[in-house]
Amino acid sequence: MLSLALSAQGLPLLEDNVFQDGEKISMTVMFKWGAINTEVAQASLTLEEEEDCYHAVLAARTAPFFDVFYKIRENFQSRFSLDELRPMEAIRDTYESGYTATNHFIYDWEAGIIRAEVSYRGAAPEYMEIPLNSLSLDMVTLIYYLRNLDWGSAQEGQVCNVPFAIDDAVFNVDATYQGTEIIKVRRLGRFRAMHLSCSVVAGVLFEGDQRLQVWLSDDNNHLPMAVMVPLKVGNVWAWFKGAENLKYNLDARL
């Protein structure tokens, strides 16, 4: 099933993963709206290799000052296979200014379903079975999957379609390769980067025609150097702050 999905999108996974056990990435999160451009939160992405899988954690929290106005605590966890990056288990624990959401997904690839436990606003959890597409990723696995695609073989304008599961449904995310650029990363200088333009799910935060922008380091690491998330009011930017225990030297800096 995975091989068919990769063949259909025309962009294979790299034979060797661009990440390794112990990698940790730190990001600074900014909110920009007109003249306002303020640091509001910190985020981290950590990876550990367990016996038969990777365990990755994406965590974000607002700074103490902004907790007064809009407190955010995000914790996403995923376990996915070492070679095919196939999700096995995913957890979401979200608190956003009083709104809460939790997901617990168990991926049953033999049965072709996600066994899901989903809860909103502190209500009792709902148990459901979500049909799996040929490749349905969770939030965290999606990040590592996009990093591990062979972007070096992509043509400008090439589109990769990746199913993505969250809450009670599977959505289709398309990532369009926009080529390489030079970007200025906040406080760190200039880097070569690969630019991806990704679709978002229209709803409370997003308009239907907005696209999320991602810049990955144009070296062997494919690190997220910058991410721009368009909101109905303003934009959120996440800037690469630093990394530990990278598999390769960070060679994209100019």
Side-chain angles (χ1 to χ4, degrees):
M1 292 170 67
L2 182 64
S3 298
L4 288 173
L6 294 177
S7 175
Q9 72 179 17
L11 200 59
L13 287 169
L14 295 166
E15 291 186 10
D16 294 322
N17 294 334
V18 300
F19 40 80
Q20 66 176 356
D21 178 35
E23 180 190 81
K24 180 177 181 180
I25 301 170
S26 300
M27 308 283 288
T28 297
V29 181
M30 312 278 297
F31 175 70
K32 183 174 176 58
W33 180 38
I36 300 172
N37 190 16
T38 306
E39 183 176 323
V40 296
Q42 298 292 318
S44 64
L45 187 61
T46 58
L47 184 72
E48 293 182 356
E49 186 174 330
E50 298 181 346
E51 184 176 349
D52 60 347
C53 65
Y54 287 114
H55 178 207
V57 179
L58 171 62
R61 60 185 298 147
T62 42
F65 175 79
F66 288 98
D67 278 351
V68 177
F69 305 100
Y70 199 88
K71 182 178 179 178
I72 292 177
R73 298 291 186 270
E74 297 280 7
N75 186 284
F76 289 86
Q77 298 188 48
S78 177
R79 285 181 169 84
F80 53 93
S81 61
L82 299 172
D83 48 0
E84 297 175 330
L85 311 188
R86 178 181 292 189
M88 301 163 63
E89 179 184 22
I91 296 171
R92 177 193 184 192
D93 187 0
T94 290
Y95 178 93
E96 296 176 354
S97 192
Y99 172 80
T100 61
T102 61
N103 298 172
H104 187 196
F105 293 168
I106 299 296
Y107 283 75
D108 187 338
W109 290 97
E110 272 191 41
I113 57 175
I114 300 172
R115 304 187 189 278
E117 180 181 327
V118 179
S119 175
Y120 307 103
R121 301 186 183 277
E126 297 179 46
Y127 299 90
M128 62 192 72
E129 294 182 351
I130 303 172
L132 275 171
N133 293 327
S134 56
L135 178 66
S136 297
L137 303 173
D138 61 274
M139 168 74 81
V140 181
T141 308
L142 177 64
I143 297 170
Y144 289 96
Y145 184 87
L146 288 175
R147 285 180 62 192
N148 217 49
L149 285 173
D150 185 9
W151 294 108
S153 65
Q155 301 295 317
E156 191 168 334
Q158 184 167 349
V159 179
C160 294
N161 294 304
V162 185
F164 160 64
I166 190 169
D167 294 335
D168 58 356
V170 176
F171 301 95
N172 193 58
V173 173
D174 71 78
T176 303
Y177 178 66
Q178 303 285 2
T180 58
E181 302 175 4
I182 304 299
I183 63 168
K184 186 175 182 181
V185 177
R186 185 173 179 267
R187 295 178 177 171
L188 293 179
R190 297 164 70 238
F191 290 81
R192 297 188 314 277
M194 300 177 291
H195 182 191
L196 311 179
S197 175
C198 305
S199 60
V200 297
V201 180
V204 176
L205 294 180
F206 306 114
E207 301 285 0
D209 58 350
Q210 293 177 313
R211 296 184 69 83
L212 181 147
Q213 309 297 323
V214 179
W215 289 264
L216 301 177
S217 62
D218 187 16
D219 62 2
N220 289 328
N221 296 291
H222 296 181
L223 292 168
M225 304 305 296
V227 180
M228 191 279 285
V229 182
L231 306 178
K232 287 188 175 181
V233 177
N235 300 317
V236 169
W237 282 82
W239 293 101
F240 176 79
K241 182 179 179 182
E244 301 172 18
N245 201 31
L246 294 177
K247 187 172 183 178
Y248 305 102
N249 292 329
L250 179 53
D251 295 329
R253 189 194 302 268
L254 295 177

